[in-house]
Amino acid sequence: MRLVRLAIALAAVGLLLCVWLLVQVTWYNFVAFMVLAQPLLLAALVVFVIVAARDLKRRGVL
Amino acid sequence: MTFAALAWAAGSPGEGVPQPEGWIGTAEQWAQGLGIALALLNLGVLVLAWRRLRHGEDSRPLHALLFIGLLVLPVVVIFFGYSQGMSGMETVRACGGCHAMTGHVADLRDPDSESLAAVHFKNRYIRSDQCYTCHSDYGLFGTLSAKMDGLRHVVHHVAGTYTTPIKIAHPYSNVRCLTCHAGSQKFMKSDGHPAEIQPQLMSGQESCLTCHTPAHTPKEAKR
């Protein structure tokens, strides 16, 4: 569960950066979107996939 | 309506000029509003999932929330972020956001300036995104190389590895001028462009900027 929470936290930070960009584009938030937001969202997804795969293995589905 | 209102609240483009599309907004404004709405929805989904996790829940609805909040919606939000960010970085405001460019943008907006850029700007020869229009090559690779140049500019800005007045990195291509001007009667019949010199202009042997100068007159260049 701790890993899932970490995934949610990473995604939330990434999404806040996306909202900042969507509200008003400046080069600051565009660079933040390119360099931080996307890797954070990707990291959140990777963590989620790892947790889901572990869970499925535990249940004998994988 | 909500999306358009969100986009409007976020700051609509234009300079007090009434938009022909009226209250309904532009496709870009709708995309902006939809992007904001989906990002907020995504955050809401994550908050719901977090709350359920706190109660120690491990149910299908929670899995669905996590799947939507960590996989489905972020992909859509990133898509809107790209669309908004890429077009937003083409604006004069975005170019002027760097200290190195403030002199150039001030000159561009100066109604008394007779630089080539200012003449194009004040007469609205180019309706919007004036910096980007003149400083990007046309076609798919032109857009790509302009974006790569932009990235390089950001690196120089952050690292401080530039000197003012900044100078263009490569010789200015005639194609950028000719895409709009070539074929127009004003260009064809101008005494400055006699028939014998036109092939040289078209091939780039003779630069448009040889005669049409200065392109910019930023304050720091006048010192």
Side-chain angles (χ1 to χ4, degrees):
Chain A
M1 285 305 129
R2 196 177 286 177
L3 275 178
V4 180
R5 280 186 190 168
L6 173 70
I8 292 175
L10 291 174
V13 175
L15 283 166
L16 286 172
L17 291 173
C18 290
V19 172
W20 184 28
L21 175 81
L22 285 160
V23 167
Q24 180 84 283
V25 181
T26 65
W27 75 264
Y28 294 100
N29 56 29
F30 186 66
V31 171
F33 171 75
M34 298 294 279
V35 180
L36 281 176
Q38 291 181 79
L40 283 173
L41 289 168
L42 183 67
L45 178 63
V46 169
V47 171
F48 175 61
V49 168
I50 290 170
V51 172
R54 272 190 197 164
D55 191 42
L56 290 172
K57 261 189 186 172
R58 190 171 47 85
R59 294 178 194 212
V61 181
L62 279 181
Chain B
M1 277 295 290
T2 314
F3 304 142
L6 273 169
W8 180 82
S12 57
E15 289 157 19
V17 181
Q19 297 294 302
E21 48 285 324
W23 64 269
I24 201 156
T26 61
E28 200 177 321
Q29 286 170 318
W30 277 78
Q32 184 187 16
L34 191 58
I36 295 170
L38 285 171
L40 293 176
L41 175 69
N42 199 159
L43 282 168
V45 167
L46 292 180
V47 168
L48 271 180
W50 184 278
R51 278 187 175 182
R52 285 183 179 237
L53 270 175
R54 256 187 23 188
H55 295 123
E57 192 178 319
D58 187 18
S59 62
R60 275 195 176 176
L62 173 64
H63 296 167
L65 282 175
L66 289 171
F67 182 74
I68 293 167
L70 293 173
L71 177 65
V72 180
L73 283 174
V75 171
V76 185
V77 172
I78 284 176
F79 169 79
F80 279 105
Y82 259 108
S83 119
Q84 202 63 31
M86 287 291 180
S87 62
M89 290 310 287
E90 292 170 5
T91 62
V92 173
R93 189 170 48 79
C95 296
C98 291
H99 174 69
M101 291 306 307
T102 48
H104 286 71
V105 174
D107 169 61
L108 185 78
R109 293 185 186 278
D110 180 4
D112 296 326
S113 174
E114 284 304 318
S115 71
L116 195 60
V119 168
H120 278 75
F121 184 82
K122 68 183 169 189
N123 291 307
R124 287 289 187 270
Y125 291 152
I126 304 163
R127 187 177 167 266
S128 59
D129 305 342
Q130 288 85 355
C131 307
Y132 181 79
T133 305
C134 289
H135 285 277
S136 63
D137 289 321
Y138 291 86
L140 177 66
F141 291 111
T143 306
L144 203 66
S145 87
K147 300 293 182 196
M148 293 310 290
D149 278 348
L151 195 63
R152 195 168 47 79
H153 294 164
V154 167
V155 171
H156 280 301
H157 180 75
V158 172
T161 50
Y162 65 89
T163 49
T164 53
I166 54 165
K167 290 196 172 87
I168 195 162
H170 311 288
Y172 193 84
S173 165
N174 281 5
V175 176
R176 294 173 180 174
C177 308
L178 293 169
T179 302
C180 293
H181 292 283
S184 77
Q185 289 301 304
K186 197 175 174 186
F187 173 82
M188 306 287 273
K189 291 181 178 169
S190 164
D191 293 339
H193 311 138
E196 58 270 23
I197 205 171
Q198 287 192 18
Q200 291 172 41
L201 289 172
M202 296 294 174
S203 65
Q205 278 178 293
E206 188 67 62
S207 170
C208 301
L209 294 175
T210 306
C211 300
H212 298 281
T213 183
H216 298 278
T217 49
K219 255 187 200 163
E220 56 267 32
K222 287 177 192 161
R223 272 185 228 146

